[in-house]
Amino acid sequence: MSTIAVDLHITDAEWEVMRVVWANGRVTSKEVISTLGEKMDWKQATTKTLLGRLVEKGALNTEQEGRKYIYSANIEEKEAVRSFTNDIFNRICRKSVGNVVGSIVEDHVLSFDDIQRLEEILEMKKAFAVEEVDCQCTEGQCDCHLHHHGECCLENT
């Protein structure tokens, strides 16, 4: 699979379509329509419009086989998810990242394997941990500048 710049913006509806493509590798519009039919209650034209937008954005590749078009991803799901999460974390105060990650872990069901992987990652991160994460917000974008060493934004997230 070729990769593209990962900074493209994929809407929520486009994510639904991309998930079908990622799960199946190569799909026709009929397969996407069939897969998302009940969940999204979209008309065929809506799905085809979304596929077209994803091709225009470079997220999907299309090739014609006979009378139908086959769609495949130009970006791996893992890359897209990483880009999406980086975008979220770039929007909040760096001092809040740990609290947000903690909230994500608290709010979602995890398997024992997930927990073991997280424990391993955290153990590796300890070697590079800092006493206090620096705020890099512009003054007025968070309340870190109002406190000397207090907890920052999203404290109870």
Side-chain angles (χ1 to χ4, degrees), residues 13-155:
E14 291 166 345
W15 269 99
E16 294 291 338
V17 172
M18 289 301 296
R19 290 187 63 201
V20 174
V21 177
W22 286 321
N24 295 283
R26 293 169 38 93
V27 295
T28 62
S29 61
K30 262 189 180 171
E31 292 168 320
V32 176
I33 291 164
S34 171
T35 301
L36 295 176
E38 273 187 50
K39 179 180 182 184
M40 304 310 295
D41 194 30
W42 290 334
K43 294 184 182 346
Q44 284 186 6
T46 302
T47 302
K48 289 182 179 183
T49 298
L50 291 168
L51 286 164
R53 283 188 200 157
L54 288 163
V55 170
E56 286 175 20
K57 290 180 177 185
L60 290 180
N61 181 45
T62 184
E63 53 189 271
Q64 192 167 0
E65 284 185 8
R67 296 185 64 199
K68 58 185 168 185
Y69 289 94
I70 308 295
Y71 298 91
S72 58
N74 279 335
I75 182 173
E76 293 181 26
E77 182 176 18
K78 185 176 182 178
E79 289 178 73
V81 170
R82 180 165 283 193
S83 175
F84 182 75
T85 55
N86 285 339
D87 186 46
I88 290 169
F89 288 123
N90 287 334
R91 294 170 187 245
I92 64 173
C93 178
R94 285 178 46 177
K95 288 183 148 206
S96 301
V97 170
N99 288 326
V100 173
V101 170
S103 293
I104 292 168
V105 170
E106 286 175 351
D107 295 345
H108 293 83
V109 176
L110 300 173
S111 70
F112 288 111
D113 286 343
D114 293 333
I115 293 168
Q116 182 175 348
R117 171 107 171 95
L118 288 170
E119 289 172 338
E120 291 168 2
I121 291 168
L122 289 172
E123 193 58 40
M124 289 183 340
K125 292 293 280 184
K126 279 184 183 178
F128 305 101
V130 295
E131 199 61 42
E132 184 177 351
V133 176
D134 291 332
C135 170
Q136 293 191 335
C137 298
T138 300
E139 192 166 340
Q141 286 188 310
C142 70
D143 63 3
C144 293
H145 298 287
L146 302 176
H147 308 290
H148 295 304
H149 293 289
E151 286 299 310
C152 183
C153 351
L154 302 173
E155 190 172 303

